[in-house]
Amino acid sequence: MPETASGPPTPPAGRRTALLAGGALATAAAMAAAVLAAGGFGEGRQQARTADGVRHTTVEVTSAACGRGWTHPEPGRQVFDLHNTSGTAAEVYLTDARTGAVYGEVEGLAPGTERPIRVTLGNGAYAFKCLPDDADAVTGPTVHITGGHVKSGPAALPVTQQELIPPTLAYQKWIQARTVELAQKTDVLRDAIDRGDLAAARAAWLPAHLVYERMGAAYGTFGDADSAINGTTAGLSGGVHDADFTGFHRLEYGLWHGESASSLRGPAGRLAKAVHALRDSWPDQRMDPADVGLRAHEILENTVQFELTGRTDYGSGTNLATARANLDGTRVLLGYLRPLLKTRHTDLSGLDSWMARTRRTLSGGEHDGRWTPLDRLGRAQREKTDADVGELVERLSAVAALTDVRRTA
């Protein structure tokens, strides 16, 4: 996977995932500042090395001189300090000159600023590509490295919008089938409440809710339907008693806090209405292919933030079941993206192994169809759950980066 560097200003949510750790980035930025203080472009700056022994090369970013400054190529681990001397913000890629594979990138490099790319380069031909905002891409001179004894990488071919359309359409069809299933199971829940059978309603609540929780990559396309179906009390002044608290979690609170069937018939009817509206409207919706890979990472990122903290538990104690449903939804999405990942992801088998390991860990909270609430997990099981899901989230960040649509012209 290509390394990325990100820094102020922070890119808006939903864009490229940065793979360079914050601590390392801060260190590299400090190194870059020290090198830039040495003077202008030229021979004296090619051999600049910092206290850690890493070789730095300052490279100019401008339409007229993209990549200028890299005149003494050497193999090995090194840092390129990108200096935007133009008056326009730009993206910058370090590419394989023959295949176009990306070894490193910086997005949103503002005029007059510097940012680093840390890479390992072996023998080969390389070129910087500068992509100014609102202007055509410019490819700098090809630089050849010879005599090296290290392997370049990691790197990945850019993904195009067209390549993401087939998996997106296939996933949309899968979601369509889930909306039908969701409507059927929500009707069972509503009907149980209508006839006053709260025990049956509690039994029907989780199966219906888990169908929705497997559909996480489509939430952004659902729009207002998401809050109507699965909203929480976040931002509601009245908390669980607020009139705008609706959907599955509103019913969860009532079913596990002793509310009567008559008080739950209204919320159950509104939930069913919202679910049926989603089912009926989904065939006319269109997911953005550019966001699909990012969603593969965000689903479990949200699981860590909301499910494993218990913030979405309103009485059923089924956060682990929800987390497993989120994982299952992620697995489905990765299945549709697999043809693209097979030629780009350097450790797809490792990702698969962590998916399976994490599912086993989450399934450890289920016993005879009943789920252990988070606050009743033993310390070792809780730590393993947090560690396994957290590690998987980190690994999925590579999927987001590899499937992000990059400019090529």
Side-chain angles (χ1 to χ4, degrees), residues 65-68 70 97 126-128 139-143:
C66 178
R68 188 181 72 174
W70 190 13
Y126 306 93
F128 279 98
T139 300
T142 297
V143 174

Side-chain angles (χ1 to χ4, degrees), residues 340-357:
L340 296 177
L341 295 174
K342 285 174 65 176
T343 57
R344 292 172 171 85
H345 200 298
T346 58
D347 190 22
L348 194 54
S349 62
L351 177 60
D352 291 338
S353 295
W354 270 98
M355 294 282 289
R357 170 177 173 159

